[in-house]
Amino acid sequence: MEIKEGSISPSERAGKKIPAGKTAGRFFIGLLLSVFLFLIFGLIIGNFYGDEVKSYIIEQVNKRLNVQVVVSPRDIHFSVLKNFPSASVEFREVLALDVNPKDTPERDTLFFAGSVSLQFDIRDIFNRNYRIRKLSLADLVMKIKIDKNGKDNYHFWKDSSDSISGKFSFALEKIVLKNVCLSYTDLANKQIHRLKISKGTLSGKFTEETYHLSTDLQLFLLQVKSGNTVYLENKDAELKADFYMENKSGTYGVQIGRIKVAGLNFDLKGNLTYRDSSAGVDLQVKGRDLEIGSVLSLVPDKYRNKLTDYSKEGDFYFDASIKGKWSHFETPVVNAHFGIQDGKITHKKSGLTFNGLTLKGTYTNSGESRLLIEHFSGKLNEGQLSGYGLLENFSNPYLKMNIRADFDLGNFQKFIEIDTIESIKGRAKVVLTYSGKLPEVKNGKSFVEKDLKNAITSGTIELKDVQVRFKRNKNSVDSIQGSFQFDNNDVVINDFKGRIANSDFELTGLVKNVLPSIFLDRETLTVEAELKCKRLDLDELLADENKSTPRNTIYELRFPEYLRLDLHTAIKKLNFKRFEAENIYAQITLNDKRMIIEPVSFNSMDGKVEGSGIIDGSDGKRLFISCEASLDKVNISKLFAELDNFGQTTLTNKNLRGLLTSEIHYSSEWSPELIANLDKVKARAEIKIEKGELLNFEPLKAFSKFIRLKELEDIKFATLENKIEIKNQTIFIPKMEIKNSVLNLTCLGKHTFNNEIDYEISLLMRELLAQKAGKVKKENDEFGEVADDGLSRTLFISMKGTVDHPLINYDRKGMFQKIKADIKKEKHNLKGLLKDEFGWFKKDSTLTKAPEKGTQKKSDKLKVKWDESGKDEKEDN
């Protein structure tokens, strides 16, 4: 065989091995050539058929739309490359208005889509028979609404009978969703649901009468709200299910379905039917591998926020059936069984654990909704809790429950964290049953009040060695013992006692209208009881700790508007500021923020006090106080000291000694901080002071400048009687006399709360004092004149100005009034003598009746001139 150089036979070529590098290069060149030919093919198809396809599909879609759709022509694109091997027409920036009539003034958006892609086989382009097999939606926001009349806005696609051409049809086999936001608002049924589909697919032959539909959706539940309650919010969810769909019969079944919400897995099985405007459902829902922590995460927000401080463990089971019709007027029947086994809830902060938690319950909405907790129990350290409950008719709830508990209050407080309590100790034992309607204030008071007051409540609460301290209050309540027995809406108090700071109390009686006063507005709580105290410290109880400072205690007294008291009180000892009292017995009533204390009696200031009083706080900004009191031989020095000298510094407890007997009528206006409005202080008092002593009284000491009598520094008297009146910040003192072996002092005048004085004083000194005063003749001459009646000397003085700077002058007017009164007295005596001896002045009625002040009848029979005044009788009159 001849082999020629450069020549290889075909047989030799077939048996020769080609290098790998050349094979890869040929494959790469072939691939590039295919891609190039594919691009050329796509450009040719797009160039020759693009406008025709777009125009035809837009025409056919418009014929089937029932809404106005807005899209710019430049945002409509035809491509055979983007979704190869399918061709597609893509609409971008698509806006569709809802299906309300076109003449509606305001039409909302039904949906807005970033991209809507209709995909079909490339061969449909050449035979001009377009069958849309795939729909892709991206960046879609859709708002579905149903108004109060049940009218919706989402039927934007016309029925198939409206189709005009058979060359265009929807033969959907797959719907692809990406970044789709849906909102559903049903005003008729008060439902608001919002969700986001991050990605998902729906696969099936949608246009066939019977087909299988597979779903795989990644969801994010933004909000699931029914009525005013948000049940789910911001929760991840997944839905994977295979459905069988029968379009002609309107029956849709779930063959295999699984839904996952916030980590909770539920199996679905059953079917749905839809005909006209109503739907039917027959569905089984069963929980798989549920944990109590995940279940509690589904609790509505207004309750869930309180659960964030707790960790939850344990198994939760759930099995439910949903069966019946579903429409605007009908709701399917839901029957559910659920429970908790071996549950454990731990308070993160304290580390306390409520363990051994078991619960078994059922729910149904057949007839009236009904939630039954057949049994629940658990332990908190050594404390135990158990019971059962039944809640019926959620629209007008009826509750029946029984609770038994025996637990340490300190552990309970740490576990629950009650906001108003700082700390608590002690133990409580509770056995309580309740049957009745639950209060719903928004439904109207008259309806709720009737139902709540007809509730049946019974049971007991026992407290032992309880100590509690409230926040923003330094006074702790401790040594609490007692038991309470429930009798429907009333609570019987059996020997309830304890201490508040330095005060103690023991209360026995009845509290009425308890539940309505707790749950309803404007309901009055009534307390009828006997109160006993060994000590009652009002300084601590009335102090406002938020406003008080270490140097200044601020008090506050306000009466609750809806509290009524009827108390029989027996208090061994009471103190407020400097005031102290013992053996207090009083009847106290409080109604409409008006407290009446009548009668009241107590021992104080070495004497006894009886009386009554009213504190009216109905104004809210002011307290109107009035009282009547009888004082029997009270130590006047202690009286002034304990009442803080009545707010003045002139006549104080250091100046007075003696026993006071008095009848006092007092009224005033105070602020809730117990600050008196001095302009409103009014008082009248009839006083009698026995064994009295006036010590170092500054106004009297001013007289020593003139007469230098040490006796004025300590004036003793057996009895002093007078009537004193207080008004307009002024003390009015009628004429009164102070008599003793040293002097006879007469005084009248007024004294303001600002220590401004206006006194008229006369001093009647015995011969002994006159002799002593004579040794200081110069001072007396300088001071003024002394009226001498032959037996004693009377000094008339006026004192004005202020206590610190008194202006003392001789009172000529006072002297002349004294002389004039003496002359009238002598004239009267002379007339009586002449009448008796000579029968004169028989018609003068003044001789049988003491003349009234400022009156004097004339005599026509006799005129007498008196040497003392130089005036006749007529002139005197």
Side-chain angles (χ1 to χ4, degrees), residues 221-437:
L221 302 178
L222 296 168
Q223 186 181 73
V224 177
K225 182 178 180 181
S226 178
N228 294 321
T229 302
V230 177
Y231 290 96
L232 292 174
E233 191 169 44
N234 299 328
K235 297 295 182 183
D236 289 314
E238 297 178 12
L239 175 62
K240 293 183 179 181
D242 290 336
F243 299 88
Y244 65 87
M245 315 294 288
E246 295 182 2
N247 290 330
K248 186 174 182 179
S249 64
T251 301
Y252 316 102
V254 184
Q255 292 178 318
I256 300 175
R258 289 184 179 180
I259 183 171
K260 184 176 182 181
V261 180
L264 299 173
N265 294 295
F266 298 92
D267 291 337
L268 306 176
K269 188 176 181 180
N271 58 73
L272 304 171
T273 59
Y274 183 82
R275 292 184 180 89
D276 299 326
S277 60
S278 65
V281 59
D282 186 359
L283 192 65
Q284 300 290 324
V285 182
K286 187 174 183 178
R288 293 187 300 107
D289 304 325
L290 303 179
E291 293 184 355
I292 186 173
S294 299
V295 173
L296 291 177
S297 70
L298 301 180
V299 172
D301 270 353
K302 61 181 180 180
Y303 307 115
R304 188 173 67 246
N305 292 336
K306 299 179 181 180
L307 301 176
T308 56
D309 296 332
Y310 301 87
S311 61
K312 288 79 65 175
E313 301 178 20
D315 298 328
F316 180 83
Y317 64 88
F318 178 85
D319 187 358
S321 65
I322 307 172
K323 188 174 183 179
K325 292 184 178 181
W326 199 334
S327 68
H328 294 302
F329 310 102
E330 296 176 282
T331 302
V333 175
V334 178
N335 291 303
H337 299 269
F338 59 89
I340 299 173
Q341 295 176 341
D342 195 24
K344 182 185 294 185
I345 301 177
T346 302
H347 184 247
K348 298 177 182 177
K349 184 178 179 180
S350 66
L352 289 170
T353 299
F354 191 81
N355 52 34
L357 177 61
T358 61
L359 184 146
K360 182 179 180 181
T362 62
Y363 168 81
T364 182
N365 64 345
S366 177
E368 293 184 346
S369 50
R370 187 172 186 267
L371 174 65
L372 173 64
I373 305 298
E374 298 178 11
H375 172 77
F376 67 88
S377 64
K379 295 182 178 180
L380 181 63
N381 281 12
E382 298 179 356
Q384 296 183 347
L385 174 67
S386 63
Y388 65 85
L390 171 64
L391 184 64
E392 293 182 321
N393 189 9
F394 291 178
S395 60
N396 184 20
Y398 177 88
L399 175 66
K400 183 178 181 180
M401 69 174 185
N402 176 275
I403 296 177
R404 292 178 177 270
D406 186 355
F407 50 87
D408 180 271
L409 290 172
N411 291 334
F412 184 78
Q413 158 63 10
K414 292 177 182 177
F415 188 82
I416 298 297
E417 284 193 306
I418 302 174
D419 292 338
T420 57
I421 296 178
E422 182 177 310
S423 64
I424 189 171
K425 299 178 181 178
R427 199 161 191 88
K429 186 176 182 180
V430 179
V431 178
L432 186 63
T433 62
Y434 175 86
S435 299
K437 294 291 181 68

Side-chain angles (χ1 to χ4, degrees), residues 349 413 417-423 468-476 545-546:
K349 184 178 179 180
Q413 158 63 10
E417 284 193 306
I418 302 174
D419 292 338
T420 57
I421 296 178
E422 182 177 310
S423 64
V468 59
R469 182 184 294 274
F470 296 95
K471 292 181 179 179
R472 297 178 294 277
N473 193 327
K474 69 177 182 180
N475 296 327
S476 63
E545 297 181 9
N546 297 323

Side-chain angles (χ1 to χ4, degrees), residues 636 640 656-661 687-693 717-722:
I636 194 170
F640 272 66
L656 289 169
R657 299 287 187 273
L659 301 178
L660 172 66
T661 299
I687 64 171
K688 178 181 179 181
I689 303 176
E690 300 174 273
K691 300 179 181 179
E693 190 172 354
F717 50 90
T719 303
L720 171 64
E721 296 187 42
N722 201 6

Side-chain angles (χ1 to χ4, degrees), residues 836-852:
D836 292 339
E837 292 294 333
F838 303 103
W840 295 359
F841 308 112
K842 290 182 178 180
K843 295 182 179 182
D844 193 341
S845 60
T846 61
L847 299 180
T848 58
K849 182 179 180 181
E852 296 183 3

Side-chain angles (χ1 to χ4, degrees), residues 677-785:
N677 181 351
L678 299 181
D679 289 330
K680 300 294 183 179
V681 174
K682 295 181 180 180
R684 294 194 314 274
E686 297 181 7
I687 64 171
K688 178 181 179 181
I689 303 176
E690 300 174 273
K691 300 179 181 179
E693 190 172 354
L694 191 61
L695 302 172
N696 298 314
F697 187 42
E698 288 297 329
L700 286 183
K701 289 174 70 175
F703 298 150
S704 64
K705 176 181 178 182
F706 304 97
I707 57 178
R708 296 181 182 176
L709 297 179
K710 294 182 179 180
E711 288 83 352
L712 293 177
E713 296 179 355
D714 185 1
I715 300 176
K716 299 179 180 179
F717 50 90
T719 303
L720 171 64
E721 296 187 42
N722 201 6
K723 296 181 180 179
I724 294 177
E725 184 176 5
I726 301 175
K727 62 181 179 180
N728 300 326
Q729 297 197 42
T730 303
I731 304 171
F732 295 91
I733 305 173
K735 184 178 181 180
M736 65 178 179
E737 292 183 341
I738 300 176
K739 298 179 180 180
N740 62 16
S741 60
V742 177
L743 61 84
N744 186 331
L745 183 147
T746 302
C747 177
L748 63 88
K750 55 186 179 181
H751 193 136
T752 70
F753 290 0
N754 293 327
N755 283 330
E756 297 174 353
I757 56 177
D758 185 0
Y759 288 119
E760 296 179 8
I761 302 172
S762 63
L763 290 172
L764 180 64
M765 292 172 284
R766 304 292 180 184
E767 186 64 30
L768 175 62
L769 290 180
Q771 292 175 0
K772 292 180 180 181
K775 297 178 182 180
V776 287
K777 180 71 167 58
K778 180 180 180 181
E779 286 83 350
N780 287 338
D781 290 341
E782 180 180 332
F783 179 73
E785 301 180 37

